[in-house]
């Protein structure tokens, strides 16, 4: 699992296309901005409690929250229901920081702006993400690197999408994810919609 995960079903009206992603600059800017506004939201945080961050006015519609968790809790207990994310037991962070900040962005109606899709595809859900940073110094103002967190193949992090548009007739839902280098990856949807119109996705990269 890459340190930035963004999954959501999309539909295909045309042939399957996978184009290079040329919007890396603005997704990097987004990363910077997310770190900046979330660390401000975390003054004196309680461990394991998600805090909503304030986004700049020109990003109204984007939701961001952040939560601190110790590395050992992440690995031994996981975290159920961090918004749409189900984090299982066994997730590891490879640089051994004692405390992590897990940042959750929901790009809402900015999804298409930050992560434009190839022609013939459109989003059925907002783009969601899960990023991790060192939480050792929460007053850090320097830009921190993303940490590398990984789930095992048999216990992947799953996402229960709560805000899914119905699939237009004749089109096929797919998942798309973006890595930090800005590449776009398409994948199949693991589970079908349930009766509440919710979709559940598994990812085991
Ligand atoms: C929001 O405004 C800031 C400057 O205040 C600018 O740097 C940034 O690019 C803007 N973001 C968007 C998505 O328009
Ligand atoms: C998203 O919706 C908000 C209002 O909820 C609006 O202010 C904003 O301009 C919209 N952004 C985009 C990219 O459509
Ligand atoms: C935390 O970061 C701030 C801002 O970069 C710095 O001034 C401070 O010395 C750091 N604290 C520790 C304990 O490293
Ligand atoms: C991203 O780019 C770096 C440096 O070029 C490379 O080492 C890494 O393997 C790339 N990651 C992915 C997921 O392509």
């Amino acid at each position: 699992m890459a340190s930035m995960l963004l999954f959501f079903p999309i539909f295909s009206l045309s042939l399957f296309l996978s184009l290079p992603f040329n919007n890396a600059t603005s997704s990097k800017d987004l990363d910077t901005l997310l770190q900046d506004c979330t660390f401000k939201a975390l003054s004196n945080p309680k461990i394991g409690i998600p805090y909503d961050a304030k986004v700049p006015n020109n990003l109204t519609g984007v939701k961001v929250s952040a939560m601190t968790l110790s590395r050992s809790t992440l690995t031994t207990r996981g975290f159920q229901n961090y918004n749409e994310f189900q984090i299982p037991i066994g997730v590891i962070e490879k640089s051994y920081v004692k405390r992590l900040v897990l940042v959750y962005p929901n790009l809402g109606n900015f999804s298409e702006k930050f992560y434009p899709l190839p022609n013939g595809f459109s989003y059925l859900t907002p783009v969601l993400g899960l990023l991790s940073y060192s939480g050792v110094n929460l007053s850090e103002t320097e830009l921190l690197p993303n940490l590398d967190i990984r789930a095992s193949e048999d216990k992947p992090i799953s996402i229960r999408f709560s805000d899914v548009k119905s699939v237009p007739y004749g089109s096929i839902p797919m998942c798309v994810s973006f890595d930090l280098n800005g590449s776009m990856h398409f994948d199949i949807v693991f589970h079908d919609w349930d009766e509440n119109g919710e979709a559940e996705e598994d990812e085991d990269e």
Side-chain angles (χ1 to χ4, degrees):
M1 188 184 68
S3 52
M4 183 177 193
L5 293 173
L6 300 158
F7 307 104
F8 37 89
I10 56 175
F11 70 88
S12 159
L13 291 172
S14 62
L15 287 174
F16 180 87
L17 283 171
S18 179
L19 299 178
F21 180 54
N22 60 9
N23 203 29
T25 321
S26 68
S27 60
K28 262 276 174 291
D29 293 348
L30 178 66
D31 196 11
T32 311
L33 183 130
L34 291 177
Q35 192 191 316
D36 189 48
C37 66
T38 50
F39 274 60
K40 282 184 191 142
L42 292 174
S43 57
N44 258 326
K46 290 203 171 74
I47 299 236
I49 305 285
Y51 292 86
D52 290 336
K54 247 189 140 137
V55 296
N57 283 342
N58 60 356
L59 288 176
T60 302
V62 173
K63 280 182 271 177
V64 185
S65 54
M67 172 174 78
T68 56
L69 214 55
S70 74
R71 184 183 185 280
S72 61
T73 303
L74 176 70
T75 303
T76 58
R77 302 233 294 267
F79 198 90
Q80 288 301 303
N81 304 316
Y82 182 26
N83 298 312
E84 290 89 340
F85 287 86
Q86 314 289 323
I87 305 173
I89 290 171
V91 171
I92 55 163
E93 183 283 307
K94 304 223 290 189
S95 54
Y96 292 89
V97 297
K98 268 177 83 172
R99 184 167 65 168
L100 297 147
V101 177
L102 293 180
V103 170
Y104 160 90
N106 177 330
L107 299 185
N109 62 349
F110 280 85
S111 299
E112 178 67 41
K113 184 172 161 69
F114 283 112
Y115 293 98
L117 291 169
N119 282 340
F121 292 82
S122 75
Y123 287 118
L124 293 176
T125 77
V127 174
L128 308 178
L130 186 63
L131 299 100
S132 58
Y133 301 97
S134 167
V136 172
N137 181 3
L138 293 174
S139 12
E140 188 56 82
T141 49
E142 298 290 312
L143 186 62
L144 295 170
N146 288 104
L147 297 176
D148 191 9
I149 56 171
R150 282 174 195 269
S152 64
E153 272 191 38
D154 56 329
K155 284 196 199 125
I157 293 177
S158 56
I159 306 173
R160 175 164 274 273
F161 289 97
S162 55
D163 184 13
V164 186
K165 293 182 193 151
S166 58
V167 182
Y169 181 75
S171 53
I172 306 159
M174 295 181 75
C175 281
V176 64
S177 60
F178 301 97
D179 65 31
L180 288 172
N181 294 352
S183 316
M184 185 186 273
H185 305 276
F186 287 91
D187 211 336
I188 57 167
V189 176
F190 274 70
H191 300 278
D192 227 326
W193 318 122
D194 68 20
E195 66 280 7
N196 302 319
E198 290 188 344
E200 193 174 348
E201 308 306 323
D202 291 330
E203 176 63 29
D204 59 6
E205 195 182 302

